[in-house]
Amino acid sequence: MIKFILENLEKPVISEDEKMSDLLKEKDYTNWLRDLKKKLRENQLKAAVKANSKLFNFYWELGKEIVEKQKSKMGR
């Protein structure tokens, strides 16, 4: 879904009867599209970093639990 959005951000959603070239010449519109695409990519990156951080912490804690279980069995 995100790939579709990114691929189509550059494509204005207007009827074919309207002149696309006129719309694309409007600096405000093209700037808005560029900024929107930049914000989307930045937020995708932030989400990926947060998810990776959560997974890292989970695996770290899991590793600690495994080591603790192994130590407790050796001590018997």
Side-chain angles (χ1 to χ4, degrees), residues 10 18 29 34 37 64 76:
E10 307 274 334
E18 295 181 55
Y29 180 75
R34 186 191 66 243
K37 195 171 185 178
K64 283 179 20 182
R76 288 184 182 180

Side-chain angles (χ1 to χ4, degrees), residues 12-20 23:
V13 182
I14 59 173
S15 69
E16 290 184 9
D17 296 329
E18 295 181 55
K19 294 182 179 180
M20 279 194 187
L23 183 60

Side-chain angles (χ1 to χ4, degrees), residues 1 6 14 26 32 37 50-51 54 57 60 65 67:
M1 178 71 169
L6 285 174
I14 59 173
E26 291 182 29
W32 176 78
K37 195 171 185 178
K50 189 163 227 154
K54 293 283 186 183
N57 288 333
W60 184 267
E65 287 181 30
V67 168

Side-chain angles (χ1 to χ4, degrees), residues 2 7 14 17 20 39 41 43:
I2 291 175
E7 290 171 353
I14 59 173
D17 296 329
M20 279 194 187
K39 287 178 188 177
R41 287 191 176 140
N43 283 291

Side-chain angles (χ1 to χ4, degrees), residues 53-73:
S53 174
K54 293 283 186 183
L55 279 173
F56 177 83
N57 288 333
F58 168 74
Y59 289 127
W60 184 267
E61 292 300 319
L62 179 61
K64 283 179 20 182
E65 287 181 30
I66 291 170
V67 168
E68 288 172 9
K69 290 282 185 191
Q70 289 173 338
K71 284 182 181 179
S72 69
K73 285 190 176 189

